[in-house]
Amino acid sequence: MRSPLAGITVLALEQAISAPLCTRHLADLGARVIKVENPGVGDSARHYDGVVCGMAAHFVWLNHGKESVELSLTDTGDREVFDRLLERADVFVSNLAPGALGRLGLAPSDVAGRNPRLIVVDISGYGVGGPLDHKRAYDLLVQSEGGACAITGTPGHPAKGGVPVADVGTALYAYSAVLAALYDRERTGCGTVIPVAMLDVVAETMGFALNTVVHGGPEPEPVGMGSPMVAPYGAYPTADSQTVVLGTTSDREWQRLAGNLLRDSDLAADPRYSRNADRVAHRAELDEIVGRWCAGRDLAEIQRLADEAGIGNARLNSVTELAGHPQLAQRGRWREVDSPVGKVPALRPPALGRDWTLPDGRVPALGEHTDAIRREVRDQI
Amino acid sequence: MRSPLAGITVLALEQAISAPLCTRHLADLGARVIKVENPGVGDSARHYDGVVCGMAAHFVWLNHGKESVELSLTDTGDREVFDRLLERADVFVSNLAPGALGRLGLAPSDVAGRNPRLIVVDISGYGVGGPLDHKRAYDLLVQSEGGACAITGTPGHPAKGGVPVADVGTALYAYSAVLAALYDRERTGCGTVIPVAMLDVVAETMGFALNTVVHGGPEPEPVGMGSPMVAPYGAYPTADSQTVVLGTTSDREWQRLAGNLLRDSDLAADPRYSRNADRVAHRAELDEIVGRWCAGRDLAEIQRLADEAGIGNARLNSVTELAGHPQLAQRGRWREVDSPVGKVPALRPPALGRDWTLPDGRVPALGEHTDAIRREVRDQI
């Protein structure tokens, strides 16, 4: 058993979601992550709410396994501590507001120039150049600018994806780029600078929709719980007041749904519905047929019959139902991490090698490691 | 200039989105990706539509830079070719239906046992064990099961996030885990097995909402284009028939929005709205005030004033508007890749080191590399 990133040090000037999730996953792999926070205030996510016994839900999610050091980068003494940490770091991750790094004398190129082995990750909303590079970039804003909201919700009522895809996607692209750079450095001895713009991340995840319009296809419409590409597909209330999600992804599956699940041979044979394009055109009436069938049965029966017929199906779960989901519990996905308010539950990271050790982690109090890190830096001068 | 994964070979038994996006990004870093496809049929995503001059929008998005080899794994001769490829691969990625790998004698543990340097990525919907491990898992199904739809849309009208977060998130966790494993292998000489379950990925991205309910907070509701945590925040029609997205994320920003942007000193001073929790409770009336102000002005003026007031803002873009977005064009985010139907536009990957070379890429026709790969394997026997 081993931690892949044991011995690697990450210095983070980070706030909110994107950079903190990136560095949390680096900590999950055994890296030492030093989170630099403004004295007395810290990461803004510390103050979003107090739902976890006084700590914020976001902060607890994103920061276990890190060390917190309070440093004012405009104070000469603190800045020297920071510069020493930067000299010895392998990775420097930041997601400050546009221009903030430059004002601190920490522009990515300058920082990289001082230490050719350093891997510098520069997260921004819109990158450098272009009409928007000065703009603030929160998840909802970039989801809107990036077209993601326009394909979510229902026609005329766009919606933000509940999962913060701009932030989470940016975190994961930054995280993977750091790992690629560490691998590259093993072979070349060289670090690099990695710019990651949230808009570019959202655009990448929109690849299907972009290819459609770029090649003259129709502007994709949001279709609620359905699929823009196939029908019938959707969420249907059941007799026991639950909601089942099911449908067909191919003509073959339609035959199984109509013939084997709904047991309606006339429907299965109806030439009006044999091809997916035709079913999409008759989406509403097919939804009604499937909906009527589901409304007469309990969820468990529907799911059993759908499994038997080879039709993909799921339950529309609330967050509370996800929290208690047997598929997470029975597979040991939950663990506990320490925090200033005691042990709190946390999910194991989604992708670990089976012989990698997951560090215990702890959510740090603001400045919890300031004294130790100051001492450490002093001892090394 | 260099490609970090030059010299690395990835063998992929993949379909649809999650594994193909993972391996496309490995190809973006210079790895050789050999995509094994069923003879005459191939990746199901080849047949989703024909919008890209006869090729499918999804397939073109997810598969440039790969080699396609048609092999029937139940045919003895083809299987020998596959086994030779597997012997020499560094990484093996698959996302077949539950049980399919085992039926092919390719269960992850068996494959890893034959080659201790191999990195094996096993993508599934629900992992091994638990009540759901046999179930089909499409993006919409796992978004539903994972609670993501319940926090998207509007109250009483849940919606699927338009971005396929279950698939894309799984791709990125698989991708980053491969990179971590390659780094680890440089130092230990050992590969590993990496299981990645889509449900676990969605659950990780739900961290904020999960922490809220686990600690007794309220079940999060979908709030359309708003935010569950702050108010006012949302999408507002403008005088020139566009939609602006803006709002406040803190009490300080509220003061700027009310005082500097709306120039309403009474509103800024109103004690009913001074704290975020109070503003959330008065969400509807604040939305009306902001909406009325926006309705009287053109988008460009609103955005200029909001920038000056330090209030984050964005345009609600359609997919077509994203495709033509000057922020992508002016920063050189588009390039062309080759394909069987000629050059097609593609976005540069969101996160590359500035001194890494991006390979040209090409979308492979089904079996385009079959002969060359058969020859290559024969020559090495």
Side-chain angles (χ1 to χ4, degrees), chain A residues 181-196:
Chain A
L182 283 168
Y183 176 74
D184 181 61
R185 194 181 70 168
E186 286 291 297
R187 311 211 283 187
T188 64
C190 300
T192 191
V193 174
I194 304 161
V196 189

Side-chain angles (χ1 to χ4, degrees), chain B residues 11 80 82-90 114-115 118:
Chain B
L11 193 64
E80 195 177 324
F82 179 84
D83 287 342
R84 298 271 171 184
L85 291 171
L86 194 54
E87 269 168 28
R88 293 180 299 133
D90 299 284
R114 278 180 259 156
N115 177 358
L118 188 66

Side-chain angles (χ1 to χ4, degrees), chain B residues 191-226:
Chain B
T192 191
V193 174
I194 303 161
V196 189
M198 294 168 69
L199 181 69
D200 298 344
V201 168
V202 174
E204 175 70 60
T205 70
M206 299 281 293
F208 154 64
L210 275 175
N211 273 353
T212 301
V213 303
V214 161
H215 292 279
E219 171 75 21
E221 287 277 320
V223 286
M225 287 291 296

Side-chain angles (χ1 to χ4, degrees), chain B:
Chain B
M1 298 296 284
R2 56 197 191 268
S3 282
L5 299 191
I8 294 295
T9 299
V10 178
L11 193 64
L13 266 183
E14 61 180 20
Q15 56 186 340
I17 300 181
S18 62
L21 180 58
C22 165
T23 61
R24 201 210 90 199
H25 283 314
L26 294 170
D28 289 339
L29 296 183
R32 178 187 187 191
V33 176
I34 301 174
K35 182 179 178 91
V36 179
E37 302 194 72
N38 274 332
V41 182
D43 185 340
S44 56
R46 286 186 180 274
H47 312 288
Y48 286 171
D49 58 47
V51 76
V52 184
C53 312
M55 297 197 80
H58 274 98
F59 190 81
V60 169
W61 167 34
L62 298 166
N63 290 285
H64 48 79
K66 304 181 187 178
E67 299 175 24
S68 166
V69 56
E70 286 179 281
L71 293 175
S72 167
L73 299 190
T74 53
D75 171 274
T76 313
D78 279 9
R79 179 55 183 262
E80 195 177 324
V81 173
F82 179 84
D83 287 342
R84 298 271 171 184
L85 291 171
L86 194 54
E87 269 168 28
R88 293 180 299 133
D90 299 284
V91 181
F92 174 50
V93 177
S94 69
N95 70 333
L96 304 190
L101 278 183
R103 288 193 295 275
L104 290 166
L106 292 170
S109 294
D110 296 344
V111 171
R114 278 180 259 156
N115 177 358
R117 281 183 60 82
L118 188 66
I119 293 160
V120 180
V121 178
D122 176 26
I123 293 175
S124 67
Y126 298 103
V128 174
L132 304 189
D133 73 349
H134 64 289
K135 287 186 92 77
R136 282 158 193 268
Y138 305 132
D139 180 82
L140 170 61
L141 299 176
V142 184
Q143 284 201 43
S144 301
E145 196 72 45
C149 299
I151 59 168
T152 304
T154 47
H157 296 93
K160 168 184 140 53
V163 169
V165 286
D167 278 334
V168 168
T170 298
L172 295 178
Y173 276 107
Y175 168 56
S176 50
V178 167
L179 295 166
L182 283 168
Y183 176 74
D184 182 62
R185 195 181 71 168
E186 286 290 296
R187 312 213 283 187
T188 65
C190 299
T192 191
V193 174
I194 303 161
V196 189
M198 294 168 69
L199 181 69
D200 298 344
V201 168
V202 174
E204 175 70 60
T205 70
M206 299 281 293
F208 154 64
L210 275 175
N211 273 353
T212 301
V213 303
V214 161
H215 292 279
E219 171 75 21
E221 287 277 320
V223 286
M225 287 291 296
S227 157
M229 297 175 54
V230 293
Y233 222 107
Y236 307 98
T238 67
D240 54 343
S241 304
Q242 305 218 37
T243 304
V244 69
V245 181
L246 54 74
T248 65
T249 62
S250 66
D251 297 341
R252 225 170 33 189
E253 282 194 9
W254 165 246
Q255 288 302 317
R256 293 206 298 264
L257 187 143
N260 302 357
L261 182 59
L262 274 53
R263 298 199 170 276
D264 185 336
S265 49
D266 291 347
L267 186 66
D270 194 324
R272 283 178 302 167
Y273 306 134
S274 62
R275 289 175 44 244
N276 181 57
D278 301 328
R279 291 192 301 276
V280 169
H282 294 91
R283 188 190 296 274
E285 63 198 70
L286 291 174
D287 273 343
E288 206 194 303
I289 293 170
V290 177
R292 204 159 48 223
W293 186 85
C294 291
R297 288 162 181 79
D298 284 357
L299 176 72
E301 184 191 358
I302 294 168
Q303 291 204 272
R304 181 177 56 77
L305 294 174
D307 281 350
E308 286 172 13
I311 294 298
N313 61 89
R315 180 181 174 196
L316 183 66
N317 280 323
S318 67
V319 181
T320 302
E321 287 161 340
L322 175 66
H325 205 302
Q327 194 64 17
L328 298 177
Q330 291 181 26
R331 290 166 51 250
R333 297 299 306 165
W334 289 98
R335 62 174 185 146
E336 288 196 316
V337 296
D338 199 15
S339 85
V341 295
K343 297 270 185 193
V344 292
L347 284 167
R348 294 172 58 82
L352 292 179
R354 65 176 176 190
D355 37 13
W356 299 350
T357 304
L358 178 62
D360 286 339
R362 173 181 155 84
V363 186
L366 178 59
E368 181 169 332
H369 304 84
T370 304
D371 290 346
I373 287 173
R374 282 187 190 280
R375 259 197 313 277
E376 183 185 327
V377 167
R378 197 182 321 124
D379 290 349
Q380 285 175 344
I381 290 174

